Amino acid sequence: MAHITNTLATVDQLYRRNTLDALPQDLQDTIFYATQCLTQAAGILLRLPQSATAQANVVLARYWLVDSALANEFSDVSAATLFLTAKLGSHPCQPRDICNVYTYLLSPSSPLFQFPSTDPPPNDPSAYYLSEGAYTAFHNRILRLEARIVYSLSFDTHVALPHPLAITYLQALDFLSQPKAKVSQRVVEYLNTALLSPQLLYLTHQPNALAVAAIYSAARDVGAKMPDCAWWEVFDVDREELGFLVVGMRSLEGWVRKQRDEVEGLLGQGMVTRKGVEAEMRKRGLGVGNGGNGAPGPEEEDEEAAMMRKLDERVAMVED
């Protein structure tokens, strides 16, 4: 049964997650949601199967249970986890492909995290041009983070997803007497949405419970008639757990709207950055730290970027 179950987060890990940084809860949730969305967008552009991208989402969430979110740039952590899970699966990605995709998604030309009411950004290829020096720096950061993630997770990167179980359960329920494609798509949508939830549903519940909750929510949406008995108990899920998961899955949309209104400048104007979060914390009068692990600060990163830019300029002068 190990291949269809996951190692769940302990109470101590969930408690220490809130003490690793001085981050307020709303900023912590915003960082998590934005980084998971970035990972999903990168997986789509890299043409990875959803199973690989979903595993990257879960690995990223596990990593931030044991390490500070402010220790590294959020987009770098996303790229490293996606690179790691793709490499362990049947669809490995070239480092340059990952660097190119993330450079585009983080550029002003990317529509990711733009408000729906605003005009789409102009497509400026120079905004997401990746020089050789920038690629080398990005690649090195990914490799360093990959090693750190694997070490922090004690080399346990196994992730069991609830999607196959959900389809099996639907078959047992005769697809709730609904068109197979319609109800199956809605179930998968709920499971994918749960990956983005700051409630860490994939770290606190087993795949069978997530699958049952997605089926229950999808049945309500499509107006399907469910069995009159406590059918979820057949799949080893109790009523209390089912109720919690259903509320968690269905509440994410409202939470995102609320965050966009309350956390101005972080969600809706491009990818959330560590520099932006630190600026928001200073605005609130809070101390800023990097988790105490000796990670390079913004000044060191800016210096490295400046050095790489000068190197690129010299190479261009030599070529001319």
Side-chain angles (χ1 to χ4, degrees):
M1 296 291 289
H3 64 286
I4 60 173
T5 58
N6 287 321
T7 302
L8 300 182
T10 64
V11 175
D12 183 58
Q13 286 177 325
L14 294 173
Y15 173 77
R16 285 192 292 109
R17 173 176 178 261
N18 296 323
T19 61
L20 287 173
D21 304 301
L23 279 171
Q25 188 64 46
D26 61 334
L27 292 182
Q28 191 176 62
D29 292 346
T30 300
I31 292 169
F32 181 87
Y33 170 77
T35 308
Q36 297 288 43
C37 287
L38 177 66
T39 306
Q40 282 288 326
I44 293 173
L45 293 184
L46 289 167
R47 299 183 180 180
L48 291 174
Q50 174 60 14
S51 58
T53 309
Q55 289 173 2
N57 287 133
V58 177
V59 170
L60 189 152
R62 289 177 181 173
Y63 171 63
W64 272 347
L65 272 183
V66 296
D67 204 354
S68 168
L70 290 177
N72 301 279
E73 188 59 63
F74 315 132
S75 56
D76 289 350
V77 179
S78 171
T81 53
L82 193 60
F83 177 64
L84 171 63
T85 55
K87 182 168 62 175
L88 295 175
S90 57
H91 296 79
C93 293
Q94 294 296 327
R96 184 172 289 276
D97 292 339
I98 289 188
C99 293
N100 285 335
V101 164
Y102 274 86
T103 300
Y104 168 72
L105 290 174
L106 298 175
S107 71
S109 297
S110 171
L112 188 64
F113 299 117
Q114 299 291 336
F115 282 118
S117 58
T118 59
D119 296 331
N123 183 24
D124 180 13
S126 63
Y128 49 89
Y129 168 73
L130 185 65
S131 66
E132 194 64 29
Y135 163 70
T136 301
F138 197 175
H139 186 201
N140 290 338
R141 293 199 304 271
I142 289 177
L143 293 181
R144 287 197 299 267
L145 262 173
E146 179 192 17
R148 183 177 183 86
I149 291 170
V150 172
Y151 174 78
S152 299
L153 298 180
S154 301
F155 296 86
D156 181 12
T157 57
H158 166 73
V159 177
L161 296 175
H163 301 65
L165 281 177
I167 301 302
T168 301
Y169 294 170
L170 280 174
Q171 290 175 334
L173 295 169
D174 195 24
F175 290 91
L176 305 173
S177 301
Q178 297 288 322
K180 295 181 180 180
K182 180 180 179 181
V183 67
S184 299
Q185 179 179 352
R186 194 60 178 163
V187 168
V188 171
E189 288 172 354
Y190 271 110
L191 292 176
N192 291 338
T193 300
L195 291 165
L196 313 178
S197 174
Q199 298 183 58
L200 307 179
L201 301 180
Y202 274 73
L203 302 190
T204 54
H205 297 82
Q206 292 292 357
N208 66 305
L210 294 167
V212 170
I215 292 173
Y216 186 93
S217 299
R220 292 183 57 183
D221 289 349
V222 301
K225 180 176 175 56
M226 291 177 283
D228 296 330
C229 60
W231 58 271
W232 48 85
E233 294 181 356
V234 176
F235 305 115
D236 197 23
V237 180
D238 57 49
R239 181 184 295 272
E240 290 74 16
E241 184 177 18
L242 174 61
F244 176 83
L245 284 172
V246 169
V247 172
M249 289 182 177
R250 299 176 71 91
S251 62
L252 183 63
E253 183 178 357
W255 176 86
V256 172
R257 290 200 188 99
K258 182 180 178 182
Q259 288 298 104
R260 283 181 171 175
D261 295 337
E262 293 184 355
V263 191
E264 297 181 1
L266 288 180
L267 202 59
Q269 298 183 11
M271 174 60 190
V272 178
T273 63
R274 186 170 61 170
K275 185 177 180 180
V277 170
E278 291 175 347
E280 178 67 22
M281 292 176 66
R282 292 190 185 96
K283 189 187 303 182
R284 300 183 184 186
L286 301 174
V288 178
N290 61 8
N293 62 357
E299 294 182 359
E300 294 174 312
E301 289 184 342
D302 292 342
E303 182 180 352
E304 180 183 2
M307 182 177 64
M308 289 299 178
R309 185 169 57 255
K310 291 179 180 178
L311 179 61
D312 292 333
E313 291 174 355
R314 291 182 180 178
V315 171
M317 291 175 60
V318 171
E319 291 178 349
D320 293 340

